[in-house]
Amino acid sequence: AGSASRKMPFSFHSHSGQFCRHAHGSLESMVEAALQRGFSHLGLSEHMHRESSVHLYPEESDMTVADLEAQFVAYLAEGRRLREVYAGRLHILVGLETEWCAEAPYAEFVPRVIATHQPDFVVGSVHHVHGIPIDFSPELCAQAETAAGGSSEALFEAYFQSVQRMIEVVQPTIVGHLDVIRVFRPQHVLGPASLRAAQAAIAAGIAQGCLFELNTSAVRKGLPTPYPQQQLLQEILRLGGRLTLSDDAHQPDRVALNYADARAYLQKMQVATLYYLERREGKTVVLPLENCTEHPFWSQHSQG
């Protein structure tokens, strides 16, 4: 498995304060942190720009859509510079995380951005329901719930339906934080409708050959397991889905944070193989890391 067999740890979901208003630190500081943690591979995945000023976050009130696009283009240039500078020390891939604020116009806009900028990989994520952010603040999540019909079950169903459509249209490399909808509704138990919608999204991801990330940011946010929750992870595994590992770090000291929880979760769920990405001759390939929970990294890296 190349260099990953020696150093294993990786993450294919990360953000920096240089290119994301709710993150901290430069892009290079994230790369340096990954090196210090002993990473072999790092996927950079800043958010793609949004199509409309309607979908700017409160923290971006002084920015225009053109500003966001310029910031994204600058990120790609800096990421590709770092990819070359650190070649031989850290295998860097320069990707993006999608936005899917509403099916129209994002079903056309997202594929066009991907085709234009040719990222190494795509993290396909949904952060909105009915155009309203669901993981930014409790207040906005409540507004999205109202828009979905007023119940958590309706909110979860609408969210997973959006995830399914995003997967079918975008065909992402990785499905990002599959059940991030849990963050402000941690007690909600999936009912028949939302479970069906989640199962359909998982089936779509597997049909497209996507990886599903085990995302440890959920633990930092107070949830009992990384994303996705056990019920959904069981479904992914039952259908033969493939997992990767991500910290979704938004600042350098969160690189590999709570990876010990990820290992425990993988062991509990009897997952033997994780998958990672590597650039080979200008193309991104998916490679297996077998016996992943027995890797020497875990004994070297006990910070959790």
Side-chain angles (χ1 to χ4, degrees), residues 9 17 23 82 101 105 124-125 154 181 191 234 260 286 293:
L82 294 170
C101 307
S125 299
I181 189 70
Q234 284 173 326
V286 177
T293 60

Side-chain angles (χ1 to χ4, degrees), residues 4-250:
S5 64
R6 295 193 300 275
K7 290 209 292 185
M8 182 250 163
F10 40 75
S11 173
F12 296 101
H13 192 158
S14 67
H15 302 280
S16 72
Q18 189 173 354
F19 300 107
C20 174
R21 283 282 176 93
H22 59 270
H24 302 278
S26 68
L27 196 63
E28 188 160 9
S29 73
M30 300 299 290
V31 170
E32 283 289 339
L35 266 180
Q36 290 164 12
R37 302 288 187 280
F39 273 33
S40 57
H41 295 63
L42 178 65
L44 306 176
S45 63
E46 300 287 11
H47 293 279
M48 60 171 278
H49 51 292
R50 270 145 281 138
E51 187 271 345
S52 168
S53 59
V54 172
H55 297 128
L56 293 178
Y57 287 104
E59 67 199 31
E60 298 165 337
S61 59
D62 62 328
M63 299 180 77
T64 66
V65 169
D67 293 334
L68 280 181
E69 183 172 9
Q71 176 177 270
F72 178 68
V73 170
Y75 149 67
L76 292 172
E78 174 65 356
R80 288 163 179 163
R81 183 187 75 83
L82 294 170
R83 188 175 67 192
E84 302 312 312
V85 168
Y86 285 83
R89 290 185 286 161
L90 180 66
H91 193 104
I92 294 174
L93 295 95
V94 183
L96 64 81
E97 183 176 12
T98 64
E99 298 291 358
W100 192 263
C101 307
E103 184 159 342
Y106 284 82
E108 188 275 327
F109 179 64
V110 178
R112 180 155 43 88
V113 170
I114 292 168
T116 299
H117 295 290
Q118 297 289 305
D120 293 335
F121 69 102
V122 173
V123 177
S125 299
V126 172
H127 305 96
H128 295 72
V129 169
H130 296 297
I132 303 168
I134 49 87
D135 64 336
F136 185 81
S137 70
E139 295 76 18
L140 286 170
C141 183
Q143 290 180 30
E145 187 172 85
T146 299
S151 71
S152 295
E153 178 66 3
L155 175 69
F156 275 57
E157 181 184 17
Y159 166 77
F160 285 119
Q161 287 171 340
S162 290
V163 173
Q164 180 185 350
R165 287 294 296 139
M166 178 277 297
I167 289 170
E168 290 170 347
V169 171
V170 177
Q171 302 176 6
T173 323
I174 297 168
V175 177
H177 44 53
L178 175 64
D179 55 346
V180 72
I181 189 70
R182 280 198 291 149
V183 70
F184 295 122
R185 294 291 181 272
Q187 305 306 321
H188 182 66
V189 176
L190 297 179
S194 64
L195 181 58
R196 273 196 305 273
Q199 289 169 330
I202 290 167
I206 290 170
Q208 299 285 4
C210 306
L211 303 181
F212 292 83
E213 65 174 11
L214 207 68
N215 181 318
T216 60
S217 71
V219 179
R220 177 173 55 79
K221 294 176 181 180
L223 295 168
T225 67
Y227 304 117
Q229 61 175 286
Q230 185 170 326
Q231 184 180 18
L232 299 183
L233 182 53
Q234 284 173 326
E235 180 72 0
I236 292 167
L237 297 173
R238 184 181 73 81
L239 293 175
R242 300 177 298 172
L243 303 178
T244 190
L245 184 61
S246 294
D247 52 32
D248 200 353
H250 283 62

Side-chain angles (χ1 to χ4, degrees), residues 214 233 237 243 259-272 291-295 298:
L214 207 68
L233 182 53
L237 297 173
L243 303 178
Y259 267 23
D261 293 77
R263 183 196 192 191
Y265 196 25
L266 290 165
Q267 289 172 323
K268 177 182 179 182
M269 302 300 288
Q270 299 181 309
V271 176
N291 302 315
C292 58
T293 60
E294 304 308 312
H295 196 279
W298 302 112

